């Protein structure tokens, strides 16, 4: 015989909110700017993921979106911004090619001799030599001042005519 006191019950389990007052936010070590690295390359503790892992971290941006969820079946994820210090990258001689085949008129200002993008003369108002021949002048290089340290005192040869 059927028991009239028995029935069917559906239970829906809803993930709980994470208590953020007890959450320990990760402290990440500073990284050096690298245009070929993304946030996905920055290791995080278990339960954390980047909101946009494809983003290239840069010096001027100080925080990035992070998602925390230690157990997707039990908790709702929380999203917050986390500070990540990105330091400027120091360039080496392998990061650039010293301009060559440059020419300038005798006695003219160094600024009249054009340089490739990223290069600038240390003293653009300096006069070129008054005699025909070759002479070296100093320049600096920085392809992106926000993310790189400037390389200074690069010797560049100019043919003076």
């Amino acid at each position: 015989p059927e028991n009239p006191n028995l029935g069917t019950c559906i239970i829906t389990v809803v993930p709980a909110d994470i208590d953020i007052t007890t959450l320990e936010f990760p402290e990440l070590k500073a990284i050096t700017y690298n245009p070929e690295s993304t946030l996905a390359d920055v290791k995080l503790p278990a339960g954390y993921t980047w909101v946009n892992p494809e983003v290239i971290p840069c010096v001027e941006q100080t925080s990035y979106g992070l998602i925390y969820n230690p157990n997707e079946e039990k908790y709702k994820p929380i999203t917050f911004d986390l500070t990540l210090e990105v330091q400027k990258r120091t360039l080496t001689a392998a990061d650039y090619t010293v301009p060559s085949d440059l020419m300038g008129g005798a006695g003219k200002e160094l600024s009249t001799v054009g340089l490739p993008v990223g290069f600038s003369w240390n003293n653009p108002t300096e006069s070129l030599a008054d005699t025909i021949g070759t002479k070296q002048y100093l320049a600096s290089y920085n392809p992106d001042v926000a993310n790189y340290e400037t390389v200074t005192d690069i010797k560049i040869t100019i043919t003076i005519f």
Side-chain angles (χ1 to χ4, degrees), residues 106-127:
K108 301 275 186 181
E109 279 192 1
L110 192 51
S111 63
T112 62
V113 180
L115 289 170
V117 173
F119 284 90
S120 62
W121 294 113
N122 285 8
N123 186 4
T125 59
E126 180 180 355
S127 295

Short mmCIF file of all heavy atoms in Angstrom, two decimals, residues 106-127:
data_model
loop_
_atom_site.label_atom_id
_atom_site.label_comp_id
_atom_site.label_asym_id
_atom_site.label_seq_id
_atom_site.Cartn_x
_atom_site.Cartn_y
_atom_site.Cartn_z
N ALA A 106 78.66 70.11 -42.39
CA ALA A 106 79.67 70.68 -41.50
C ALA A 106 79.12 71.95 -40.84
O ALA A 106 78.53 72.80 -41.51
CB ALA A 106 80.95 70.98 -42.27
N GLY A 107 79.29 72.04 -39.52
CA GLY A 107 78.87 73.22 -38.77
C GLY A 107 77.38 73.28 -38.44
O GLY A 107 76.95 74.15 -37.68
N LYS A 108 76.58 72.42 -39.00
CA LYS A 108 75.13 72.42 -38.73
C LYS A 108 74.87 71.84 -37.34
O LYS A 108 75.72 71.16 -36.76
CB LYS A 108 74.38 71.58 -39.76
CG LYS A 108 74.54 72.02 -41.18
CD LYS A 108 73.54 73.10 -41.48
CE LYS A 108 73.61 73.43 -42.97
NZ LYS A 108 72.73 74.44 -43.35
N GLU A 109 73.67 72.08 -36.82
CA GLU A 109 73.30 71.50 -35.53
C GLU A 109 73.07 69.99 -35.69
O GLU A 109 72.57 69.53 -36.71
CB GLU A 109 72.03 72.15 -34.97
CG GLU A 109 72.28 73.45 -34.29
CD GLU A 109 71.08 73.94 -33.48
OE1 GLU A 109 70.04 73.25 -33.43
OE2 GLU A 109 71.21 75.02 -32.88
N LEU A 110 73.41 69.28 -34.65
CA LEU A 110 73.22 67.83 -34.61
C LEU A 110 71.75 67.46 -34.86
O LEU A 110 71.44 66.44 -35.48
CB LEU A 110 73.68 67.29 -33.25
CG LEU A 110 73.83 65.80 -33.05
CD1 LEU A 110 74.68 65.17 -34.14
CD2 LEU A 110 74.42 65.53 -31.68
N SER A 111 70.83 68.30 -34.43
CA SER A 111 69.39 68.04 -34.61
C SER A 111 68.99 67.95 -36.08
O SER A 111 67.92 67.43 -36.39
CB SER A 111 68.57 69.12 -33.91
OG SER A 111 68.82 70.39 -34.49
N THR A 112 69.84 68.43 -36.99
CA THR A 112 69.51 68.35 -38.42
C THR A 112 69.76 66.95 -38.98
O THR A 112 69.38 66.67 -40.12
CB THR A 112 70.32 69.38 -39.24
OG1 THR A 112 71.72 69.08 -39.11
CG2 THR A 112 70.04 70.80 -38.78
N VAL A 113 70.40 66.11 -38.19
CA VAL A 113 70.65 64.72 -38.60
C VAL A 113 69.54 63.85 -38.00
O VAL A 113 69.44 63.71 -36.78
CB VAL A 113 72.03 64.23 -38.13
CG1 VAL A 113 72.26 62.78 -38.56
CG2 VAL A 113 73.13 65.15 -38.67
N GLY A 114 68.70 63.31 -38.87
CA GLY A 114 67.56 62.52 -38.41
C GLY A 114 67.97 61.16 -37.84
O GLY A 114 68.96 60.56 -38.27
N LEU A 115 67.19 60.71 -36.85
CA LEU A 115 67.43 59.41 -36.22
C LEU A 115 66.16 58.55 -36.32
O LEU A 115 65.05 59.09 -36.42
CB LEU A 115 67.78 59.61 -34.73
CG LEU A 115 69.14 60.20 -34.43
CD1 LEU A 115 69.24 60.55 -32.95
CD2 LEU A 115 70.24 59.22 -34.82
N PRO A 116 66.31 57.24 -36.26
CA PRO A 116 65.13 56.36 -36.26
C PRO A 116 64.28 56.58 -35.01
O PRO A 116 64.75 57.12 -34.01
CB PRO A 116 65.73 54.95 -36.26
CG PRO A 116 67.15 55.11 -36.69
CD PRO A 116 67.56 56.49 -36.27
N VAL A 117 63.05 56.16 -35.07
CA VAL A 117 62.12 56.27 -33.95
C VAL A 117 62.72 55.62 -32.70
O VAL A 117 63.29 54.53 -32.77
CB VAL A 117 60.77 55.60 -34.29
CG1 VAL A 117 59.84 55.56 -33.08
CG2 VAL A 117 60.10 56.31 -35.45
N GLY A 118 62.61 56.31 -31.58
CA GLY A 118 63.13 55.80 -30.31
C GLY A 118 64.49 56.39 -29.95
O GLY A 118 64.87 56.37 -28.79
N PHE A 119 65.21 56.90 -30.95
CA PHE A 119 66.53 57.50 -30.70
C PHE A 119 66.40 59.01 -30.60
O PHE A 119 65.54 59.62 -31.26
CB PHE A 119 67.50 57.17 -31.85
CG PHE A 119 68.03 55.78 -31.82
CD1 PHE A 119 67.37 54.76 -32.49
CD2 PHE A 119 69.20 55.47 -31.13
CE1 PHE A 119 67.85 53.46 -32.47
CE2 PHE A 119 69.69 54.17 -31.10
CZ PHE A 119 69.02 53.17 -31.78
N SER A 120 67.26 59.62 -29.80
CA SER A 120 67.34 61.08 -29.72
C SER A 120 68.78 61.45 -29.39
O SER A 120 69.49 60.69 -28.74
CB SER A 120 66.38 61.63 -28.65
OG SER A 120 66.73 61.13 -27.37
N TRP A 121 69.18 62.62 -29.87
CA TRP A 121 70.54 63.09 -29.59
C TRP A 121 70.61 63.57 -28.15
O TRP A 121 69.69 64.21 -27.65
CB TRP A 121 70.92 64.23 -30.53
CG TRP A 121 71.02 63.79 -31.96
CD1 TRP A 121 70.22 64.15 -33.00
CD2 TRP A 121 71.99 62.88 -32.50
NE1 TRP A 121 70.62 63.53 -34.15
CE2 TRP A 121 71.72 62.74 -33.89
CE3 TRP A 121 73.06 62.17 -31.97
CZ2 TRP A 121 72.46 61.92 -34.72
CZ3 TRP A 121 73.81 61.35 -32.81
CH2 TRP A 121 73.51 61.24 -34.16
N ASN A 122 71.72 63.26 -27.46
CA ASN A 122 71.91 63.74 -26.08
C ASN A 122 71.99 65.26 -26.05
O ASN A 122 71.48 65.89 -25.13
CB ASN A 122 73.18 63.15 -25.47
CG ASN A 122 73.02 61.68 -25.08
OD1 ASN A 122 72.02 61.04 -25.40
ND2 ASN A 122 74.02 61.16 -24.41
N ASN A 123 72.64 65.85 -27.05
CA ASN A 123 72.80 67.30 -27.11
C ASN A 123 72.46 67.77 -28.53
O ASN A 123 73.35 68.01 -29.34
CB ASN A 123 74.24 67.68 -26.74
CG ASN A 123 74.43 69.18 -26.65
OD1 ASN A 123 73.48 69.94 -26.80
ND2 ASN A 123 75.66 69.60 -26.43
N PRO A 124 71.15 67.90 -28.84
CA PRO A 124 70.73 68.20 -30.21
C PRO A 124 71.18 69.56 -30.74
O PRO A 124 71.24 69.76 -31.95
CB PRO A 124 69.20 68.12 -30.15
CG PRO A 124 68.85 68.27 -28.71
CD PRO A 124 70.01 67.75 -27.93
N THR A 125 71.54 70.48 -29.85
CA THR A 125 71.97 71.81 -30.31
C THR A 125 73.49 71.88 -30.56
O THR A 125 73.99 72.90 -31.02
CB THR A 125 71.57 72.90 -29.30
OG1 THR A 125 72.16 72.61 -28.03
CG2 THR A 125 70.05 72.98 -29.16
N GLU A 126 74.18 70.80 -30.27
CA GLU A 126 75.63 70.74 -30.53
C GLU A 126 75.88 70.90 -32.03
O GLU A 126 75.14 70.37 -32.85
CB GLU A 126 76.19 69.40 -30.04
CG GLU A 126 77.68 69.23 -30.25
CD GLU A 126 78.19 67.87 -29.75
OE1 GLU A 126 77.41 67.11 -29.15
OE2 GLU A 126 79.37 67.59 -29.99
N SER A 127 76.94 71.61 -32.36
CA SER A 127 77.30 71.78 -33.78
C SER A 127 78.13 70.61 -34.26
O SER A 127 78.99 70.10 -33.52
CB SER A 127 78.10 73.07 -33.97
OG SER A 127 77.31 74.19 -33.68
#
